Amino acid sequence: MKLVLDCDPGLDDAVAILVAAHYADLVGMTTVAGNVGINRTTRNALAVTQIAGLDVPVHRGAGKPLAGEPVDGSRIHGDTGLGNAVLPDLDRSEASDDAVAYLCDTARSVDDLHLLAIGPLTNVALALRCDPDLRRHLAGLTIMGGSASAGNITSVAEFNIWADPEAAAVVFEKAAPVAMVGLDVTNKVVFGAEETARMRGAGTPAADLAADVTDFLRDRFRQYVGESTVPLHDATAVITATHPHLFERSLHPIAVEVRGEITRGMTVADLRPPALIEAIGPAGVAASDIVWDTDVDAVRELIVEAVLAC
């Protein structure tokens, strides 16, 4: 699979980059502001590729959402976005500062390309504005974001969608079908001390980084959630794209709430039977895949194996 990864590293993004490089032909990466600001997410993407010895171009993307002020997840991810991991001085630089042009050009020039977006959807929405036919040139579009049940940044909104709901609304409206790998499935794939120890035991710089960021994430979860295991949302989304047979999904119309005072950023999934939707009236948006469940042990093992191979 040829893959472009749009990301906002980010603790779990760092692991996702390693997993994507192992199981896919990682053509390139684009960065977006999200877990931390765009300078940090771009530097972190470059640092992860350098630590892992990956020859993958990194293109800087949007530094703010389509509307409103930037938000971030530094309370969870730390000031740098990669917890307390010690990062090297960079010996590489970004390939361009125009992620949107890169996405549009690559979608048209690379056959069978899959776009996997694991941060806020600002870059993808801007690319759709520049090239309304973008989705037609992609073999697939998978996002880590959203939920058909509860949220994590608010009671109903998942962070990536909440960080730029206007962009998410554009993507679900203009680029369906989208594979939504949301909290419904990612919260089930959790890592604990055993998985972290296995990764640290590999002794490679990339595996040490993965162990450092998962340890930091577990400390944060103990502090804020009272849990000793953590979901690796973004790495799970990578496995959804590379190993789709391991996941259960179904098609439903999905819209994004952008105006609600309490519900802003909510992914509103129409779970009614299709015949009922048709009888009462059109859903208003095209159907997308909601990923619901998976073989948790198999996915967890695939993530660990990818890290150990780096």
Side-chain angles (χ1 to χ4, degrees):
M1 168 185 285
K2 295 176 183 177
L3 187 71
V4 167
L5 189 66
D6 184 65
C7 57
D8 63 333
L11 299 168
D12 50 336
D13 300 71
V15 180
I17 292 168
L18 303 179
V19 176
H22 183 67
Y23 292 118
D25 177 4
L26 188 54
V27 174
M29 295 165 53
T30 52
T31 60
V32 65
N35 288 321
V36 284
I38 189 61
N39 290 337
R40 289 289 193 182
T41 61
T42 303
R43 190 192 190 285
N44 290 346
L46 290 166
V48 174
T49 62
Q50 182 173 317
I51 290 169
L54 304 176
D55 184 18
V56 178
V58 174
H59 299 261
R60 178 189 293 256
K64 60 182 182 179
L66 296 186
E69 296 300 314
V71 296
D72 68 49
S74 58
R75 181 163 55 180
I76 296 295
H77 295 264
D79 290 340
T80 70
L82 291 181
N84 54 15
V86 178
L87 303 178
D89 293 333
L90 292 179
D91 61 13
R92 58 186 65 193
S93 58
E94 60 205 57
S96 82
D97 62 358
D98 196 346
V100 171
Y102 173 75
L103 290 174
C104 292
D105 293 345
T106 307
R108 287 180 174 269
S109 62
V110 177
D111 292 335
D112 299 320
L113 183 70
H114 198 108
L115 174 56
L116 174 59
I118 57 175
L121 292 169
T122 318
N123 288 336
V124 184
L126 290 171
L128 284 163
R129 286 183 175 179
C130 289
D131 184 359
D133 289 331
L134 177 75
R135 179 65 182 89
R136 186 166 60 84
H137 296 289
L138 294 169
L141 173 57
T142 297
I143 70 161
M144 189 282 119
S147 169
S149 50
N152 61 359
I153 191 67
T154 74
S155 61
V156 295
E158 180 275 331
F159 176 83
N160 284 342
I161 306 299
W162 175 83
D164 194 345
E166 283 79 11
V170 169
V171 172
F172 278 105
E173 179 183 355
K174 304 294 186 183
V178 174
M180 186 178 88
V181 186
L183 302 179
D184 311 285
V185 64
T186 62
N187 274 337
K188 298 176 182 178
V189 183
V190 295
F191 270 47
E194 178 183 350
E195 289 78 26
T196 302
R198 286 181 62 194
M199 293 188 294
R200 196 174 298 283
T204 65
D208 283 345
L209 173 65
D212 287 343
V213 299
T214 53
D215 265 343
F216 187 90
L217 191 56
R218 285 194 299 111
D219 286 343
R220 283 292 200 259
F221 261 62
R222 276 194 292 266
Q223 179 181 354
Y224 292 120
V225 186
E227 297 286 345
S228 59
T229 59
V230 294
L232 291 187
H233 306 289
D234 296 335
T236 299
V238 175
I239 300 298
T240 306
T242 60
H243 296 72
H245 62 283
L246 294 176
F247 295 83
E248 297 177 9
R249 62 189 76 201
S250 56
L251 280 167
H252 303 276
I254 301 171
V256 179
E257 176 59 66
V258 298
R259 290 183 294 273
E261 182 178 346
I262 297 173
T263 56
R264 178 171 166 81
M266 180 181 183
T267 41
V268 182
D270 194 336
L271 304 182
R272 296 174 296 167
L276 179 60
I277 296 174
E278 184 177 352
I280 294 176
V285 290
S288 286
D289 269 326
I290 299 177
V291 181
W292 296 104
D293 206 356
T294 189
D295 182 335
V296 170
D297 291 338
V299 174
R300 187 163 42 223
E301 186 62 24
L302 285 167
I303 295 170
V304 173
E305 288 179 359
V307 171
L308 296 180
C310 292

